[in-house]
């Protein structure tokens, strides 16, 4: 009897964990690889100083469903965007996040949250680039390095813009 109760408890905990993970999702990627994921893979291969790159926005045909739709963390695809992600998408602002108050993060990094732009220059989503920052200092002494990350992230975003004829094209099958 005790074994059956333990098994039932284990099953309930597993189901609860799965439900909690699914509750963070608001979109399911198609079975095929999309163009945005192809771009993400190419960016990661060409930029060894990146920890991650992610694409966020509202999938075509949806309204106000802000989600991560491609990136270097495939398990996070479809996750609901945080309020700061939505702010970048809606307002077109850039957020520099040098991780000042996150000294317990396992990897020292510099994160840039930038408006994703299509070839015509229109803001169409969010691009998040997390750079390795081994020289991070919580006292602010790495400001020069952070300026370099800003320049590097902006250049990456601007080069990517040329590869995005239209936002909907990011969801097309990869070639």
């Amino acid at each position: 009897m005790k074994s059956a109760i333990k098994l039932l408890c284990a099953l309930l905990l597993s189901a609860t964990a799965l439900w909690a993970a699914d509750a963070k999702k608001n979109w399911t990627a198609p079975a095929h690889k999309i163009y945005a994921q192809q771009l993400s893979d190419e960016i990661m291969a060409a930029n060894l100083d990146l920890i991650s790159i992610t694409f966020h926005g509202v999938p075509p045909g949806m309204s106000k469903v802000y989600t991560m739709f491609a990136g270097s963390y495939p398990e996070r695809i479809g996750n609901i965007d945080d309020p700061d992600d939505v702010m970048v998408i809606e307002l077109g602002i850039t957020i520099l996040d040098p991780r000042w108050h996150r000294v317990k993060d396992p990897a020292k990094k510099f994160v840039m949250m930038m408006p994703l732009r299509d070839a015509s220059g229109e803001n169409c989503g969010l691009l998040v680039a997390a750079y390795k920052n081994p020289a991070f200092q919580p006292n602010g002494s790495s400001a020069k390095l952070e300026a370099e990350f800003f320049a590097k992230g902006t250049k990456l975003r601007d080069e990517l813009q040329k590869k995005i004829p239209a936002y909907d094209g990011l969801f097309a099958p990869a070639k």
Side-chain angles (χ1 to χ4, degrees):
M1 185 67 163
K2 286 183 181 180
S3 295
I5 291 172
K6 285 181 183 178
L7 179 61
L8 180 60
C9 287
L11 288 172
L12 284 172
L13 284 173
S14 296
T16 302
L18 285 173
W19 175 82
D22 287 343
K24 294 180 182 179
K25 305 279 183 190
N26 62 356
W27 180 72
T28 302
H32 61 272
K33 184 184 226 181
I34 62 173
Y35 180 55
Q37 187 60 49
Q38 176 185 328
L39 291 172
S40 171
D41 296 346
E42 291 171 4
I43 291 167
M44 288 302 295
N47 295 276
L48 301 178
D49 56 343
L50 278 174
I51 295 170
S52 66
I53 192 85
T54 57
F55 290 72
H56 302 251
V58 177
M62 302 183 96
S63 177
K64 302 289 183 188
V65 177
Y66 299 95
T67 193
M68 185 182 121
F69 59 84
S72 50
Y73 293 110
E75 70 280 3
R76 294 184 188 172
I77 292 174
N79 278 6
I80 297 168
D81 276 344
D82 293 328
D84 54 347
D85 299 327
V86 176
M87 188 171 24
V88 172
I89 295 166
E90 290 288 322
L91 300 177
I93 63 172
T94 297
I95 297 176
L96 306 177
D97 181 4
R99 303 281 134 161
W100 294 120
H101 303 292
R102 298 180 94 179
V103 294
K104 293 182 182 179
D105 276 0
K108 293 181 178 182
K109 57 190 162 191
F110 182 87
V111 179
M112 275 191 69
M113 302 170 69
M114 306 164 274
L116 179 64
R117 296 185 179 139
D118 64 19
S120 71
E122 288 297 314
N123 291 345
C124 59
L126 162 68
L127 183 69
V128 180
Y131 288 94
K132 297 173 187 171
N133 185 7
F136 169 76
Q137 294 295 322
N139 65 7
S141 64
S142 56
K144 181 177 183 255
L145 182 60
E146 289 165 11
E148 292 171 14
F149 286 126
F150 175 78
K152 193 180 285 194
T154 302
K155 182 179 182 210
L156 185 148
R157 189 265 321 268
D158 292 348
E159 289 173 356
L160 179 63
Q161 174 179 338
K162 299 170 192 168
K163 299 178 180 182
I164 306 171
Y167 180 71
D168 288 1
L170 290 170
F171 295 85
K175 297 176 184 177

